[in-house]
Amino acid sequence: MVINRSGASDRLSSLDERSGEIFRRIVESYLENGEPLGSRSLSRLLPMSLSPASVRNVMSDLEDLGLIYSPHISAGRLPTQIGLRFFVDAFMQVGDLSAEDRASIDRHVRRSDHGQPVESLLTEASQMLSGMSRGAGLVITAKSDPILKHVEFMRLAPTKALAVLVGEHDQVENRIIELPSGITSSQLTEAANFLNAHLAGQTLHEARGQLQKVKETVRLELDALSQDLVERGLAIWSGGDSDDKPTQLIVRGRANLLEGLAGADDVDRLRMLFDDLEKKDSLIEILNLAESGPGVRIFIGSENKLFSLSGSSLIVAPYKDSDEKIVGAVGVIGPTRLNYSRIVPMVDYTAQLMSRLSRG
């Protein structure tokens, strides 16, 4: 497993054995229960004999390094975001995925039959990561280009219609499209009939190309308004004139992120995160994060602009197709108290599994 870590040598060189042990205990206690760890409790946990006063002196040095802080007077200490990053880079040991976790992932994310839509696999992956991590499971992928089975237009308003696209595996996509001025219900029916007769059995990309070849047929069988409708519908469904497939985001387990929130400020930060995830730019940002280095990437709090306000952490890894091209990413979003050592191999294995499935 490859984990992309930031450099931590400067801070590590400034810690002796007891300082490193005290720092490690403070972080591990925070990751386990979220509570500050005090000097008296620490002195009882340490393998070496140190008085509470000596522990407090070490804590003061760690605070000067920016690794820990006191949430309020006379409290124990918690790690800062810098401290968490330092812990992940210098102290965290990532082992192999447990046999139980591996079996659970294999059970939830597998193509039971070759006809199963990719979207359902991705939803399973996202749901599985959420359940196993107690965070929100995240999957980003290039949206698949389904083979058309049936097309129908349903009028919503004089100049708007709902285009219902049914794929060969009965997956359904609904899109609201603008109608040409003056379109009639019979012309809507004619347009749908034409698509079903001439373009069924093809992907949307293929259908657009085929449409260019049968324009003469379009002119003979449909009047100008219906022709306009056909072209508008296909253009919208296939992402406009771009040859790039649209990007799809699947997030499951958002309710997990609500657990343990202390107050309105936490809820507001979480709302900011959800709002960001709905934006196209955020999808591109997460893919860029996954592509910016080999293996699993770990981002804590404000280390990237996507989570600068929400204070959430992201563990993400890319997956590839048969041409070794990155086609998506899987990951977990959660509070900074994520169980990093367990979730990192989980995300890594899921990304490997998605790569194998993407290769057919």
Side-chain angles (χ1 to χ4, degrees):
M1 180 195 313
V2 177
I3 303 175
N4 197 300
R5 303 179 190 249
S6 302
S9 56
D10 291 342
R11 284 192 173 86
L12 187 59
S13 63
S14 65
L15 298 185
D16 56 22
E17 181 181 356
R18 69 177 187 176
S19 297
E21 182 66 19
I22 288 172
F23 172 71
R24 185 178 65 81
R25 296 278 183 169
I26 290 172
V27 177
E28 289 179 347
S29 174
Y30 166 73
L31 294 178
E32 182 177 351
N33 56 46
E35 297 296 325
L37 190 58
S39 57
R40 191 171 300 277
S41 298
L42 254 173
S43 65
R44 293 194 294 265
L45 294 173
L46 294 173
M48 69 278 291
S49 178
L50 281 180
S51 68
S54 297
V55 171
R56 283 195 293 273
N57 289 334
V58 174
M59 284 178 162
S60 179
D61 293 337
L62 293 172
E63 282 193 83
D64 291 341
L65 288 171
L67 298 178
I68 63 174
Y69 74 101
S70 176
H72 49 83
I73 298 175
S74 301
R77 300 300 188 273
L78 294 172
T80 63
Q81 282 193 16
I82 293 173
L84 282 173
R85 165 52 62 187
F86 177 55
F87 174 82
V88 166
D89 290 343
F91 288 87
M92 187 181 73
Q93 299 295 318
V94 178
D96 292 332
L97 194 66
S98 70
E100 181 182 358
D101 285 347
R102 187 183 298 265
S104 180
I105 294 172
D106 287 338
R107 185 170 60 253
H108 286 89
V109 187
R110 58 192 175 91
R111 180 166 284 181
S112 56
D113 64 83
H114 292 292
Q116 186 178 2
V118 175
E119 282 82 356
S120 64
L121 291 173
L122 298 174
T123 300
E124 288 284 351
S126 180
Q127 190 71 54
M128 176 275 303
L129 285 171
S130 169
M132 295 179 68
S133 69
R134 302 307 300 165
L138 174 147
V139 175
I140 302 173
T141 181
K143 196 171 182 181
S144 64
D145 200 5
I147 294 177
L148 292 172
K149 178 181 176 182
H150 181 75
V151 176
E152 185 175 351
F153 297 111
M154 301 173 61
R155 183 188 293 277
L156 301 176
T159 58
K160 290 185 184 298
L162 180 69
V164 182
L165 176 67
V166 182
E168 67 171 348
H169 300 297
D170 293 328
Q171 64 269 43
V172 178
E173 291 189 30
N174 297 322
R175 296 289 185 269
I176 295 177
I177 63 172
E178 296 292 328
L179 296 176
S181 178
I183 192 77
T184 65
S185 296
S186 62
Q187 289 169 328
L188 281 176
T189 302
E190 287 178 4
N193 289 341
F194 176 85
L195 289 173
N196 292 325
H198 291 84
L199 304 180
Q202 302 179 56
T203 65
L204 292 174
H205 182 75
E206 292 169 342
R208 290 184 66 214
Q210 181 68 14
L211 190 61
Q212 299 300 317
K213 297 177 183 179
V214 297
K215 274 192 172 182
E216 183 61 32
T217 306
V218 171
R219 283 192 289 269
L220 292 174
E221 295 189 14
L222 303 176
D223 61 24
L225 290 176
S226 293
Q227 178 184 337
D228 187 20
L229 174 63
V230 169
E231 292 178 345
R232 284 170 185 251
L234 282 178
I236 290 172
W237 280 331
S238 55
D241 294 328
S242 172
D243 290 332
D244 295 332
K245 294 180 180 179
T247 304
Q248 184 178 27
L249 172 69
I250 300 172
V251 178
R252 291 292 183 273
R254 295 184 178 194
N256 289 338
L257 300 183
L258 295 170
E259 295 179 1
L261 294 183
D265 289 345
D266 289 336
V267 175
D268 287 341
R269 284 197 297 272
L270 194 63
R271 187 178 296 112
M272 290 176 186
L273 171 62
F274 290 161
D275 289 343
D276 282 341
L277 288 175
E278 297 299 332
K279 298 175 183 176
K280 182 76 169 181
D281 289 347
S282 296
L283 310 190
I284 297 171
E285 174 72 13
I286 294 174
L287 277 176
N288 288 340
L289 294 179
E291 293 177 6
S292 57
V296 181
R297 302 274 292 169
I298 302 171
F299 299 91
I300 299 173
S302 59
E303 288 182 342
N304 66 83
K305 62 183 181 181
L306 178 58
F307 300 144
S308 60
L309 295 178
S310 67
S312 301
S313 288
L314 168 69
I315 301 174
V316 64
Y319 62 92
K320 303 176 181 180
D321 61 14
S322 56
D323 298 322
E324 292 299 309
K325 177 183 177 183
I326 292 176
V327 293
V330 299
V332 169
I333 304 170
T336 53
R337 279 185 55 225
L338 282 172
N339 186 343
Y340 297 95
S341 60
R342 177 172 180 256
I343 295 174
V344 165
M346 183 190 308
V347 169
D348 180 65
Y349 184 72
T350 304
Q352 294 179 36
L353 183 57
M354 292 305 304
S355 291
R356 290 199 297 271
L357 293 173
S358 297
R359 291 164 184 157

